[in-house]
Amino acid sequence: MLYDIVGIPFGYLMSFIYKVVPNYAIAIIIFTLVTKILLFPVNYKTQKGAARMQLLNPKMEKLRKSFANNQQRLAEEQQKLYQEEGVNPMGSCLPSLVQMILLFGIIDVVYKPITHILHIGKNVRTAAIEKASELCIKFGDVNGGNKIDASNLRNELLTMEVMEKHPDDFSGFAENFSQAVSEFSHNFTIFGANLGKTPTLHPGAWTSEAIILAIIPFLAGIAQLLASFYSLIHQRKTNPAAQQAGGGCMTVMMLGMPLMSIWFAFQVPAGIGFYWIWSSLFTFFITFGLNQYFSHDRIVAINEKEKEKARIYAEKHPEKKTFMQRMLEQQALLDQQNGGSARSASGEKMSRSEQNKQNRDAINEARRRMAEKYGDSYEDDE
């Protein structure tokens, strides 16, 4: 369902671009650029949040030294600092989630060009897939001679591959199917290599197409390595303490993610890897530009405005709780449930009677709020 939800609007976008530029490889490049432009506000907000987090490094380091022996108190004080500064430490998760959702749409568009780009009707597509499946079994020259399952995401690509080998068997289909697919297959290439085929390091013969397809996953990995390497260098300059603390982990991630991309690009059609190449390159240029824009002086000025905006909003809407406030309250509730771990405001472990009093106060406060909300009378329960 997610493939369809994201794939349908992306399919119309890709179809429009393909009509303007009738070359699939160039259409993917333009498509990638358009999606990056659409996502630019999200990337801007993320890097602004990361730059503001860097301003907190001296304060965060001071907290780590002050509460080195009390990790629970350290976490509480860090959360309070985030709340005071109006910074959401989880803000960087949104772009990753959006990118993952986008990937589903890209995969669906690449896997189903007959649906999304040629807009051939479902009945004709189904009949063509069934015919291709029969020819696969009959000749054994596509899909290992196996039946093409209708639930297989690659059924349209396999149908195009069968049709390329046996075009006369599809001449009687409606909606000008044969001509439309043949013309599209001719443009579904880069330097003569079919982007619907899956790259492999063990082709039957090292033709020019096999070489080009095998290069695409490595280019995808190199492009991602470039973006990761730049991010690592930038992190070293702006936050050397954090980089030293997690340097080994960051290095593993910097090398591991591109290697994973290479491996995965060998499992999907070459069009996906081709998209990743340009996605990583555009990401690098956008990240570089935003890092240049968010200079120290500019981010200090932005930080002051954001803090003032958060303060004014909190005064106007005292009943609304921020993300960090909810986290603090949740942490306090957990502390109450774990009686032995409760601590006083100074960080000292409380006695059982002090814990009981704190729990009663919390319950009374909750009852008082509920009474005010629903207009009921309320008396403290001592």
Side-chain angles (χ1 to χ4, degrees), residues 82-151:
Y82 291 144
Q83 181 179 341
E84 292 170 359
E85 296 290 334
V87 175
N88 182 2
M90 304 297 292
S92 61
C93 295
L94 179 59
S96 300
L97 177 61
V98 173
Q99 291 283 1
M100 182 61 69
I101 294 174
L102 279 179
L103 184 58
F104 279 96
I106 299 295
I107 290 175
D108 200 61
V109 170
V110 174
Y111 272 128
K112 301 177 180 177
I114 299 176
T115 298
H116 294 301
I117 298 177
L118 300 182
H119 299 292
I120 301 295
K122 183 177 180 180
N123 293 335
V124 177
R125 294 198 313 267
T126 302
I129 293 170
E130 291 175 353
K131 184 64 178 180
S133 183
E134 293 174 6
L135 295 174
C136 276
I137 298 172
K138 180 179 179 180
F139 295 102
D141 51 1
V142 177
N143 199 33
N146 298 317
K147 176 184 177 181
I148 300 177
D149 194 336
S151 62

Side-chain angles (χ1 to χ4, degrees), residues 302-313:
I302 290 174
N303 190 58
E304 292 302 319
K305 290 181 180 179
E306 292 293 331
K307 286 174 63 176
E308 181 64 15
K309 187 189 300 183
R311 184 189 65 80
I312 295 174
Y313 181 85

Side-chain angles (χ1 to χ4, degrees), residues 175-186:
E175 297 190 36
N176 203 20
F177 179 85
S178 181
Q179 181 180 349
V181 174
S182 296
E183 291 177 356
F184 177 77
S185 296
H186 179 72

Side-chain angles (χ1 to χ4, degrees), residues 47-220:
Q47 286 195 238
K48 182 178 72 173
R52 292 184 65 202
M53 284 287 291
Q54 291 167 10
L55 293 179
L56 299 184
N57 287 337
K59 296 180 181 180
M60 294 290 286
E61 189 62 28
K62 185 177 179 180
L63 289 178
R64 292 189 190 100
K65 292 179 180 179
S66 300
F67 303 102
N69 298 323
N70 190 340
Q71 293 301 310
Q72 179 181 332
R73 181 68 186 281
L74 173 61
E76 292 173 356
E77 293 300 324
Q78 286 176 334
Q79 290 172 3
K80 288 179 182 177
L81 179 61
Y82 291 144
Q83 181 179 341
E84 292 170 359
E85 296 290 334
V87 175
N88 182 2
M90 304 297 292
S92 61
C93 295
L94 179 59
S96 300
L97 177 61
V98 173
Q99 291 283 1
M100 182 61 69
I101 294 174
L102 279 179
L103 184 58
F104 279 96
I106 299 295
I107 290 175
D108 200 61
V109 170
V110 174
Y111 272 128
K112 301 177 180 177
I114 299 176
T115 298
H116 294 301
I117 298 177
L118 300 182
H119 299 292
I120 301 295
K122 183 177 180 180
N123 293 335
V124 177
R125 294 198 313 267
T126 302
I129 293 170
E130 291 175 353
K131 184 64 178 180
S133 183
E134 293 174 6
L135 295 174
C136 276
I137 298 172
K138 180 179 179 180
F139 295 102
D141 51 1
V142 177
N143 199 33
N146 298 317
K147 176 184 177 181
I148 300 177
D149 194 336
S151 62
N152 187 338
L153 282 174
R154 299 187 67 234
N155 56 42
E156 293 188 13
L157 295 176
L158 292 171
T159 299
M160 290 171 59
E161 192 172 346
V162 172
M163 184 176 169
E164 185 178 352
K165 296 179 180 295
H166 311 283
D168 294 339
D169 292 280
F170 294 85
S171 58
F173 282 82
E175 297 190 36
N176 203 20
F177 179 85
S178 181
Q179 181 180 349
V181 174
S182 296
E183 291 177 356
F184 177 77
S185 296
H186 179 72
N187 296 320
F188 196 61
T189 60
I190 177 171
F191 303 122
N194 189 332
L195 290 173
K197 294 183 178 180
T198 301
T200 178
L201 292 176
H202 305 284
W206 281 104
T207 62
S208 59
E209 180 182 58
I211 294 173
I212 292 171
L213 293 180
I215 289 174
I216 287 177
F218 291 104
L219 291 179

Side-chain angles (χ1 to χ4, degrees), residues 201-270:
L201 292 176
H202 305 284
W206 281 104
T207 62
S208 59
E209 180 182 58
I211 294 173
I212 292 171
L213 293 180
I215 289 174
I216 287 177
F218 291 104
L219 291 179
I222 292 171
Q224 185 168 11
L225 182 64
L226 172 65
S228 300
F229 187 69
Y230 169 73
S231 297
L232 183 63
I233 293 177
H234 182 73
Q235 179 75 4
R236 285 177 177 175
K237 289 182 179 179
T238 57
N239 191 7
Q243 201 282 328
Q244 290 176 2
C249 180
M250 292 182 66
T251 302
V252 170
M253 289 291 289
M254 185 189 74
L255 296 175
M257 292 304 293
L259 289 175
M260 284 292 292
S261 295
I262 293 173
W263 175 83
F264 196 72
F266 274 106
Q267 315 303 315
V268 295

Side-chain angles (χ1 to χ4, degrees), residues 336-348:
Q336 292 171 12
Q337 293 174 348
N338 302 326
S341 64
R343 296 179 182 274
S344 64
S346 62
E348 299 296 328

